[in-house]
Amino acid sequence: MRNLLIAGGAGFIGSNFVHYILPKYPDYRVVVYDKLTYAGNLDNLKGLEGDPRYAFVHGDICNAEAVAKALEAYQIDAVINFAAETHVDRSIMDPDAFIQTDVYGTYVLLEAARQFGLERFHQVSTDEVYGHVPGEHRSLETDPVAPRSPYAASKASADLMTIAYHVTYGLPVTLTRGANNIGPYQYPEKVVPLFATNAIDDLPLPVYGDGKQRRDYQHVLDHCEALDLVLHRGKIGEIYNVGTGAEMENLAMVEILLHELGKPRSLIQHVTDRPGHDRRYCLDVTKLKALGWQPRHDHEEAIRATVRWYVDHEWWWRKIKSGQHYRQYYQRNYGQREVLEGK
Ligand code: NAD
Ligand code: DAU
């Protein structure tokens, strides 16, 4: 495995993975294949432009011809698929792009991987495919998928197709299902970068409902290390959960974030909840740990480090937040939400 095609490598996790993998494996070459949607950003890959082991291809994973051309031109051995529409609120407003990219686009990549006889196809998936996890249960890789948002349903469909390509055609696939990632270069629609950048500007933090939903906020570099491990030591045809295995309420995350910035709790504004909001995700990560993986950051360290990155990188996020696309999205998603008193 020498020549990797990183689909969606201009997004948040994909770009962190590119920065992680290039120095770690000096004989690897990396091709980022990305459509550059609103979430794709070449600023995330700044500094790599002159590197002979790096190339960028502007393309859509739904375009079979363009995908085949890139696989051939760069003699690709393995595809790692990060490319997706990823924001749950957008999937509720406009599901169409999610079906196109997350479902059909994954199929196009799988079919190309089969035709080119690639060494590996890795699908980057999410804990959201398990749906709301009740009681004290921790999702196991063998649990049935039970997605509840259009985003989660599109990712679950892609997982099923990836597994079907392994069972039916013997395609050498692996899958990972990650918890909530945070860290550098995350588009400020996701809760931690949104709240950090709003708080820096003394703007309200729109907490959905009572804020007692539970999530596992893991540092993106821990996720990158897990992906590396699964790519090199994971068993073909297998799924691996990726998370710290711990969970925290959203309001606890907000407290840490405000404390790190020295901002008041009065910025918290409870607003109308997300429809179908999953109350709890929690992963069992025993299978990944058996490969030798340990997260390096706990929740608090991951949140604090992320907040500091946004404090130090205003040049990166102010461009995005001041743009027309972002401002229209913000108005559409938050403009109609009622402020809930007494929460
Ligand atoms: P992101 O939204 O930051 O980036 C997605 C990237 O995919 C962007 O660069 C975008 O331009 C590209 N893209 C979108 N449609 C495309 C298309 N049709 N063709 C080519 N490129 C396209 O996403 P992210 O947060 O970095 O997530 C990456 C992957 O990890 C996704 O598959 C997501 O489902 C999964 N995941 C994310 C998290 C998380 O917390 N962010 C957790 C678990 C799993
Ligand atoms: O769990 C993995 C998933 O994590 C990934 O698959 C998704 O791509 C990624 O977007 C993320 O999904 P979430 O819906 O969990 O992330 P988000 O940052 O949108 O929301 C995190 C929590 O914060 C969730 O309980 C909803 C809440 N929230 C979110 C926003 C944007 C708020 O309370 N207010 C907000 O404004």
Side-chain angles (χ1 to χ4, degrees):
M1 199 188 318
R2 289 270 168 97
N3 298 332
L4 309 183
L5 185 126
I6 314 284
F12 162 48
I13 308 177
S15 63
N16 276 283
F17 187 72
V18 171
H19 288 296
Y20 165 89
I21 209 86
L22 275 170
K24 175 139 189 215
Y25 297 98
D27 56 338
Y28 281 18
R29 291 196 308 164
V30 162
V31 178
V32 169
Y33 182 93
D34 199 295
K35 185 180 175 183
L36 296 180
T37 66
Y38 77 94
N41 185 347
L42 290 177
D43 279 351
N44 302 359
L45 297 162
K46 247 192 166 71
L48 296 177
E49 299 86 353
D51 188 333
R53 296 191 296 121
Y54 162 80
F56 178 78
V57 176
H58 186 198
D60 187 335
I61 60 166
C62 298
N63 182 340
E65 218 176 293
V67 167
K69 210 170 140 194
L71 294 185
E72 193 165 12
Y74 293 97
Q75 298 289 294
I76 295 298
D77 307 308
V79 167
I80 303 152
N81 182 25
F82 294 89
E85 289 291 335
T86 60
H87 193 41
V88 173
D89 293 320
R90 289 186 195 255
S91 85
I92 294 167
M93 294 188 287
D94 292 314
D96 195 73
F98 289 74
I99 312 304
Q100 289 299 327
T101 289
D102 302 12
V103 183
Y104 183 73
T106 302
Y107 152 72
V108 168
L109 291 180
L110 284 164
E111 187 54 26
R114 178 169 88 92
Q115 282 172 13
F116 280 79
L118 297 192
E119 267 177 52
R120 181 69 70 88
F121 180 90
H122 183 82
Q123 177 66 5
V124 182
S125 184
T126 168
D127 60 359
E128 300 210 6
V129 300
Y130 298 117
H132 163 70
V133 184
E136 298 293 302
H137 182 67
R138 287 164 188 276
S139 302
L140 284 160
E141 291 85 349
T142 46
D143 284 354
V145 291
R148 290 159 30 98
S149 72
Y151 163 67
S154 72
K155 292 295 292 184
S157 308
D159 283 15
L160 296 177
M161 191 59 82
T162 303
I163 293 160
Y165 263 67
H166 172 64
V167 173
T168 308
Y169 304 114
L171 189 72
V173 309
T174 40
L175 299 90
T176 41
R177 289 179 175 159
N180 287 62
N181 281 228
I182 56 175
Y185 305 122
Q186 187 170 32
Y187 192 84
E189 64 188 350
K190 307 287 163 50
V191 73
V192 171
L194 171 66
F195 284 12
T197 54
N198 275 14
I200 289 169
D201 285 344
D202 297 310
L203 296 170
L205 313 186
V207 171
Y208 292 163
D210 62 8
K212 293 188 176 158
Q213 307 84 7
R214 300 178 80 81
R215 293 289 185 273
D216 176 0
Y217 290 101
Q218 66 170 330
H219 199 280
V220 65
L221 290 180
D222 288 329
H223 190 185
C224 290
E225 288 190 349
L227 288 168
D228 177 11
L229 199 61
V230 171
L231 268 178
H232 294 97
R233 308 239 308 265
K235 202 169 156 215
I236 299 296
E238 294 287 319
I239 302 168
Y240 294 85
N241 288 339
V242 185
T244 70
E247 54 186 305
M248 84 187 316
E249 284 188 357
N250 283 337
L251 279 178
M253 171 273 290
V254 175
E255 293 284 353
I256 296 168
L257 184 150
L258 288 173
H259 185 262
E260 185 65 20
L261 290 170
K263 297 285 182 174
R265 296 191 73 250
S266 56
L267 289 178
I268 297 173
Q269 192 172 69
H270 290 269
V271 298
T272 317
D273 208 348
R274 173 185 278 175
H277 197 165
D278 289 332
R279 288 292 283 182
R280 176 175 180 262
Y281 301 133
C282 191
L283 292 173
D284 184 309
V285 290
T286 311
K287 189 171 169 183
L288 180 66
K289 284 188 168 171
L291 290 182
W293 180 83
Q294 278 292 340
R296 291 178 199 270
H297 308 76
D298 64 21
H299 287 157
E300 185 163 343
E301 287 161 350
I303 295 163
R304 287 191 192 286
T306 301
V307 169
R308 286 196 299 274
W309 189 87
Y310 283 86
V311 169
D312 293 340
H313 292 79
E314 291 200 14
W315 69 268
W316 184 85
W317 59 265
R318 284 211 183 274
K319 274 198 241 190
I320 297 172
K321 285 190 92 168
S322 60
Q324 201 188 359
H325 174 90
Y326 186 88
R327 285 187 285 115
Q328 278 172 353
Y329 159 76
Y330 204 84
Q331 177 55 29
R332 192 163 167 222
N333 190 38
Y334 295 100
Q336 309 298 320
R337 285 179 198 266
E338 199 186 324
V339 176
L340 309 170
E341 306 296 344
K343 281 277 176 193

